Amino acid sequence: MVSWLSYFVGALALLSIGGGVQGYVGSHSVGSLMGGAGSGIIMLIGLYIARTKPSLGFGITAVMSLALIGMMLPRYLKGHSIWPAGVMALASIIVFGAHIVAHFMQKKAS
């Protein structure tokens, strides 16, 4: 799989972890910590797996980015808050799009 995809996924994972920690520190929201840090850690695990099994690892990260879109985009559309909902929705859309591009680049190369 394409190595540049790892940078996109890693950035989203760190953004998610950071947002979860910020939600916990700022509002004492355990839900934000569990959701943000949890999804970020799952994405980092997916990146680790992708080193030896790219299809499985990037499959995990694609599903997580899609889940973040499903969770954050409706929150943004409902409340129009830029952070965290808008930023996370946009970043997740970009990363999911990067997964699609990488998939078709891989198909074309083989």
Side-chain angles (χ1 to χ4, degrees):
M1 190 66 77
V2 184
S3 63
W4 57 265
L5 181 57
S6 299
Y7 294 109
F8 281 83
V9 173
L12 180 60
L14 294 177
L15 187 65
S16 182
I17 292 168
V21 169
Q22 182 196 13
Y24 179 74
V25 169
S27 304
H28 302 290
S29 171
V30 176
S32 291
L33 181 63
M34 298 299 287
S39 61
I41 289 168
I42 291 170
M43 292 184 89
L44 291 176
I45 291 169
L47 277 177
Y48 180 76
I49 293 170
R51 294 171 51 192
T52 56
K53 297 179 183 175
S55 294
L56 176 61
F58 286 122
I60 291 168
T61 61
V63 168
M64 285 307 302
S65 62
L66 192 58
L68 285 170
I69 293 169
M71 189 171 60
M72 291 302 197
L73 187 58
R75 287 184 187 177
Y76 172 71
L77 294 174
K78 182 180 177 185
H80 299 290
S81 63
I82 298 297
W83 176 255
V87 172
M88 288 301 298
L90 180 61
S92 299
I93 290 167
I94 291 168
V95 170
F96 188 71
H99 277 90
I100 293 169
V101 169
H103 172 75
F104 285 109
M105 287 176 67
Q106 185 71 17
K107 287 283 187 186
K108 188 175 180 179
S110 57

